[in-house]
Amino acid sequence: MLPGTKRSGKRREASYAWFVMKPYHFLLIAAALFAGGCQITPQNPNPASPTDVTVNFKDSDKYTDVRETMNGSTSQFYLDELAKYLKDETARRMTAGQKLSVTFTEIDLAGDILPGSINDIRMLEDIYPPRMNLHFQLLDSNGAVIKEGDRHLIDLGYLQTGAPLIGQNEPIRYDKALLSNWVSREF
């Protein structure tokens, strides 16, 4: 019953007591739903090694944006960071004996280095989302193809979703978050 409506005294008190208790009920229900929704990903009892994952960069000098400076060439540091991160992430989800090959065909890192910027600082704005195109092939221990395909990855809401997954001091955390999301969906 809404405040200001007419009811008998006892009925109003009972209604008011339920109204006061209501937030606590919602809190308990919300806590139960939250706890039920929080799932711990089980550890892979027999994970593959990062050496079972091969990462290649096809024509990396033609990528849209994998550079550290405005007029610089493709950054080998960024490519190495992406390769190491992808190897570690996928190996944990694979079973020992499986082999994965990933070939990047295009990378456009999150943000952009704008002309005239001081110290070549990468500006992060919604109009510069991380984008990656890749081909992958997952093989079982006998060499048979388990899964294969081309993927076009993009995270248009990267400024709202990507950062919490990866440390704040990571140089390309939004790009790593994009890969992490793909790995969790794909494998």
Side-chain angles (χ1 to χ4, degrees), residues 64-75 78 108-125 128 158 171-172:
T64 301
D65 176 20
V66 187
R67 61 187 192 277
E68 295 179 64
T69 62
M70 177 60 197
N71 296 320
S73 60
T74 299
S75 169
Y78 286 160
D108 186 358
L109 296 178
D112 199 10
I113 302 171
L114 303 177
S117 64
I118 300 171
N119 297 327
D120 291 319
I121 296 173
R122 183 170 289 278
M123 301 300 293
L124 300 174
E125 296 181 18
Y128 305 120
Y158 77 100
I172 50 176

Side-chain angles (χ1 to χ4, degrees), residues 12 51 56 105 114 134 155 165 174:
R12 180 180 284 262
T51 58
N56 299 304
T105 56
L114 303 177
L134 57 88
D155 184 0
L165 302 174
Y174 297 104

Side-chain angles (χ1 to χ4, degrees), residues 47-62:
S49 167
T51 58
D52 293 327
V53 180
T54 304
V55 178
N56 299 304
F57 298 97
K58 183 179 178 184
D59 296 328
S60 61
D61 54 326
K62 296 180 182 176

Side-chain angles (χ1 to χ4, degrees), residues 44 47-51 53 86-95:
N44 185 348
S49 167
T51 58
V53 180
L86 185 59
K87 286 181 178 188
D88 292 341
E89 283 291 303
T90 53
R92 290 187 295 128
R93 296 181 178 271
M94 295 168 38
T95 305

Side-chain angles (χ1 to χ4, degrees), residues 155-169:
D155 184 0
L156 295 174
Y158 77 100
L159 290 174
Q160 290 78 34
T161 60
L165 302 174
I166 312 297
Q168 292 294 325
N169 293 330

Side-chain angles (χ1 to χ4, degrees), residues 4-59:
T5 57
K6 293 185 178 182
R7 285 204 157 204
S8 66
K10 286 187 177 183
R11 179 74 173 153
R12 180 180 284 262
E13 289 173 13
S15 177
Y16 180 72
W18 183 84
F19 180 74
V20 171
M21 293 299 286
K22 192 174 170 182
Y24 296 110
H25 291 223
F26 283 124
L27 184 60
L28 289 173
I29 292 170
L33 291 173
F34 179 73
C38 293
Q39 299 176 1
I40 298 174
T41 305
Q43 292 283 334
N44 185 348
N46 193 15
S49 167
T51 58
D52 293 327
V53 180
T54 304
V55 178
N56 299 304
F57 298 97
K58 183 179 178 184
D59 296 328

